[in-house]
Amino acid sequence: MNTDILDARLIPDGKILVALSGGADSTALLLSLCEKIGAERVCAFHLNHCLRGEESDRDERFCRELCERLGVGFKSARRDILAEKQRGETTEQAARRIRYDELSLAAHEFACATVATAHTANDTAETVLLNLARGAGGAGLGGIPPTRELDGLTVIRPMLAATRADVERYLTERGQSYVEDSSNASDDYSRNVLRHHAIPVLERTNDRAVRHIAAAAALAREDEEYLRGEAVWLLQRARMDGLDGFDAELLADAAPPIRRRALRLAFGELDDRTLERVHVEALERLCESDDPSARLSLPGKVVARRVYDRLVLERDEQIEPPSESELAVGANIFGGYVVFAERAVAPKGLRSAEFALENPIYLRADRRYVLRARREGDFIRPKGRGLTKSIKKLFVELKLPAAERDLMPIVFAAEEVDGDGAAAVLGYAPSEGCAAAAGEDALRVHAQKL
């Protein structure tokens, strides 16, 4: 009885909840924890998936009787996995989601801060091979991590260094039985195909193949942790003070392994799903693009845009421009902007060198004005510039982000005469026909984003 299957370094103080299926691995985990820390600190949870009829009920009875014999607190739940599958989920994905939901509830009921699962070196090897077959990157090569956080709980996998052969030897030494899941014999599942065919072939070439793959996965996890730290630092440096988004050139110049991880982290701030390689490569091309308003659709209704030198990731929420409204003295809310208007006397020779919404514009006070968004064909004849400008082209010249061009408030005369164009483009200039002359009573107008 000398086989040791637990990594004691992963076992914390306090009570531990075991995810118990009744199979060899989880039975060995429960028994070994009871030996190591005592049954009073161990409890168990079993989920009856209702997938195999009487066999599922048999597994539940086995787990209950085992825990009663060991003096371990026990809880079970029955969930019809097939009936509760969500759209797009496989049966395996639904079972995993529901299992962890129920584990979280049971852990709180037993006052456990830690959940232990019975993953072994074989599970790690199978996971690495599956991830390789699916085209995974560095994170996928790391296989199964020894710990993870789950809704305020810590999930530990203290058997990752043990092989399935170690587990079976441990149970034989103690004369402990376990139940067999008949679905494990089927090749209908990808993991079973690897377990029945690929792993045995690898072990014929080297009987320590599973251990070697698990050891390589541990090294890959260390490498991934370091590279992720570098990616976090890159993303922090790429954030642009006072502006949304990231420095696209800084990202484009970074080392590819760090850049790719940084882009995944940036996406992860908006959506918790895994970004596939094809999307990461598209984001890399966007960072390198010469198009100052290029756009890319990503999963989860996330959109990536180039806004000149910035890479901006945001939710693709279609925002309709606000309705036309009268410009009144005071603060006027127009969508995501506030436009301020006040009575004033127009100064002499006022002309701003740069576009900025805060730049004041002085309009004739003897007219009424309205605020509205840009429409096709809108133009302005800016005072003192001797030309007519298309507002669409003007917004491009002013480097206004594409997503803002159709939402920006523009001032028009309420009694607009055909051919007058806009009365003012805020932050830029008033029109020839609406600009107040120096010393005249005027309406002082400026704006800011909310």
Side-chain angles (χ1 to χ4, degrees), residues 149-164:
E149 297 303 311
L150 173 72
D151 297 331
L153 301 171
T154 299
V155 178
I156 62 171
R157 284 104 179 206
M159 288 169 44
L160 281 181
T163 65
R164 195 152 287 133

Side-chain angles (χ1 to χ4, degrees), residues 266-285:
F267 174 81
E269 294 178 359
L270 296 173
D271 196 285
D272 60 2
R273 74 191 71 196
T274 300
L275 201 59
E276 300 294 337
R277 178 185 297 177
V278 63
H279 297 123
V280 176
E281 291 173 350
L283 277 173
E284 290 182 292
R285 291 192 293 272

Side-chain angles (χ1 to χ4, degrees), residues 196-268:
H196 299 155
H197 305 287
I199 295 295
V201 169
L202 289 171
E203 289 180 324
R204 283 202 294 271
T205 63
N206 187 315
D207 60 5
R208 296 180 60 84
V210 166
R211 296 188 193 277
H212 291 327
I213 295 173
L219 292 174
R221 287 195 299 271
E222 291 180 3
D223 291 347
E224 181 64 25
E225 184 177 352
Y226 172 79
L227 290 170
R228 190 179 188 282
E230 291 295 299
V232 169
W233 173 231
L234 171 63
L235 209 59
Q236 289 175 345
R237 288 186 291 123
R239 292 188 192 276
M240 305 184 75
D241 291 341
L243 296 171
D244 294 331
F246 307 94
D247 185 326
E249 184 176 353
L250 183 61
L251 290 171
D253 290 343
I258 298 171
R259 177 177 62 240
R260 288 192 288 267
R261 287 165 173 81
L263 291 171
R264 281 194 165 96
L265 288 171
F267 174 81

Side-chain angles (χ1 to χ4, degrees), residues 108-120:
H108 285 100
E109 183 173 325
F110 282 118
C112 294
T114 305
V115 172
T117 64
H119 294 92
T120 66

